[in-house]
Amino acid sequence: MRNLSAVTEFILLGIPHTEGLETMLLVLFLSFYIFTLMGNLLILLAIVSSARLHTPMYFFLCKLSIFDIFFPFVSSPKMLCYLSGNSRAISYAGCTSQLFFYHFLGCTECFLYTVMAYDRFVAICHPLHYTLIMSHRACIILAMGTSFFACIQATFLTTLTFQLPYCGPNEVDYYFCDIPVMLKLACADTSALEMVGFISVGLMPLSCFLLILTSYSCIICSILQIHSAEGRRRAFSTCSAHLTAILLSFIPVVLIYLQPTPNPWLNATVQILNNLVTPMLNPLIYSLRNKEVKYSLRKVLQPVAFLPGR
């Protein structure tokens, strides 16, 4: 007979097909997180310390860097813990928290990319009204709105997942608690909830992507009308960094949640890239092609380079 006692903890089985690679993965993922932390802290320091960067675009980039620091922190500590040989067990509350904060931070970033695209649209297509439209008050409202609506989305998805009874097997065939793997463990029919979750998870990024696509279609049309070659180059340079970051963020969502037949190994690989590699690459994407950020970073790092004994 099936054990019908309520589950109080789950066992994370880890990344599929990586048995015997724990030490290598530990070093690799720890390196990723350290570089993510350092890169995003440097971006924050560069923006905060330079008055030239106190503009709406860098205000939103600042918030993105903060969320890029916390996003890997949802799944990385527990993953690094069991890769180093410690317990794979996670409490019911811990599992719920992982799922909530993963979707809260992910949705916030998704909304934030949309707001950043709107900011570029106003700056390039309506430059004379930019300071009026993207006022300090408007930026605060937009920044708070991204987190507010992300919280609603994450609460809905978490409630949808954990309202189900979990009374049988407690082995999560993944490296953290996410919706598809948790639904497999539920002691109830999940077909209707899977459909609702599929629509909810798919609709939000799709809506954001369409808004971003609309913004950039208008931006490209405006850029092509700029007569100065230098002006076109600068506009494309600013927008290309944002578009690269958007593609790195949205493609994994499509591959993980919208594929017809889930592949556990592919999902884990893509999700690790999304959780650890994308937050690490964002500081590089936004600084390498941005002269103002590079100049500010040089000013921040110069005193360090000339410290006594260096």
Side-chain angles (χ1 to χ4, degrees):
M1 289 182 66
R2 192 174 184 179
N3 180 17
L4 295 177
S5 58
V7 171
T8 57
E9 68 174 19
F10 296 95
I11 308 297
L12 299 171
L13 298 183
I15 304 163
H17 314 302
T18 56
E19 294 78 9
L21 301 174
E22 286 82 6
T23 304
M24 185 191 77
L25 292 175
L26 174 66
V27 173
L28 183 65
F29 295 155
L30 185 60
S31 302
F32 281 161
Y33 188 67
I34 290 169
F35 282 121
T36 298
L37 195 63
M38 288 173 60
N40 283 290
L41 284 174
L42 278 173
I43 289 289
L44 283 171
L45 190 59
I47 293 170
V48 170
S49 63
S50 175
R52 295 171 63 188
L53 301 182
H54 293 176
T55 63
M57 182 175 83
Y58 295 108
F59 170 72
F60 295 125
L61 180 57
C62 211
K63 184 173 180 182
L64 181 66
S65 291
I66 292 168
F67 277 78
D68 273 343
I69 289 170
F70 285 107
F71 192 47
F73 197 72
V74 174
S75 58
S76 295
K78 187 62 189 176
M79 180 172 65
L80 295 174
C81 183
Y82 67 68
L83 285 174
S84 61
N86 293 301
S87 173
R88 292 174 177 266
I90 183 170
S91 67
Y92 188 95
C95 197
T96 307
S97 298
Q98 266 196 347
L99 195 146
F100 172 81
F101 283 107
Y102 177 76
H103 286 278
F104 168 65
L105 295 169
C107 289
T108 301
E109 289 203 358
C110 189
F111 291 139
L112 200 52
Y113 283 124
T114 310
V115 168
M116 290 170 80
Y118 174 70
D119 171 70
R120 291 300 81 207
F121 162 74
V122 177
I124 293 169
C125 299
H126 302 283
L128 298 178
H129 300 100
Y130 180 71
T131 53
L132 182 66
I133 296 170
M134 299 303 294
S135 64
H136 180 73
R137 183 170 175 271
C139 290
I140 295 293
I141 291 169
L142 286 169
M144 289 178 66
T146 59
S147 295
F148 175 74
F149 288 109
C151 186
I152 292 173
Q153 171 82 347
T155 302
F156 171 70
L157 293 173
T158 307
T159 305
L160 193 73
T161 305
F162 286 97
Q163 63 152 340
L164 295 166
Y166 291 90
C167 50
N170 68 337
E171 292 185 340
V172 178
D173 191 18
Y174 212 45
Y175 70 97
F176 80 105
C177 299
D178 198 12
I179 296 169
V181 287
M182 294 310 298
L183 291 180
K184 290 179 184 177
L185 301 179
C187 308
D189 178 27
T190 61
S191 54
L193 292 176
E194 282 176 15
M195 184 55 68
V196 173
F198 177 84
I199 293 168
S200 179
V201 172
L203 193 61
M204 187 275 295
L206 180 62
S207 302
C208 290
F209 187 74
L210 288 174
L211 288 170
I212 291 168
L213 197 62
T214 304
S215 294
Y216 273 96
S217 298
C218 297
I219 287 168
I220 290 167
C221 289
S222 292
I223 290 173
L224 293 174
Q225 291 173 15
I226 297 173
H227 298 295
S228 161
E230 177 63 19
R232 283 199 301 271
R233 190 197 64 77
R234 286 186 63 187
F236 271 123
S237 178
T238 304
C239 295
S240 63
H242 187 217
L243 279 173
T244 305
I246 287 167
L247 290 174
L248 283 172
S249 179
F250 278 81
I251 288 172
V253 174
V254 174
L255 290 174
I256 294 164
Y257 295 105
L258 302 182
Q259 57 181 307
T261 52
N263 181 322
W265 186 83
L266 176 66
N267 284 2
T269 305
V270 171
Q271 206 145 29
I272 285 166
L273 290 172
N274 190 40
N275 292 6
L276 290 171
V277 179
T278 301
M280 180 183 70
L281 292 177
N282 274 347
L284 291 173
I285 291 166
Y286 282 105
S287 62
L288 287 177
R289 302 197 64 181
N290 191 308
K291 289 181 181 178
E292 290 178 323
V293 173
K294 283 194 284 188
Y295 175 76
S296 183
L297 279 172
R298 277 197 294 269
K299 283 184 68 178
V300 167
L301 295 174
Q302 249 179 356
V304 178
F306 292 104
L307 282 174
R310 296 216 172 206

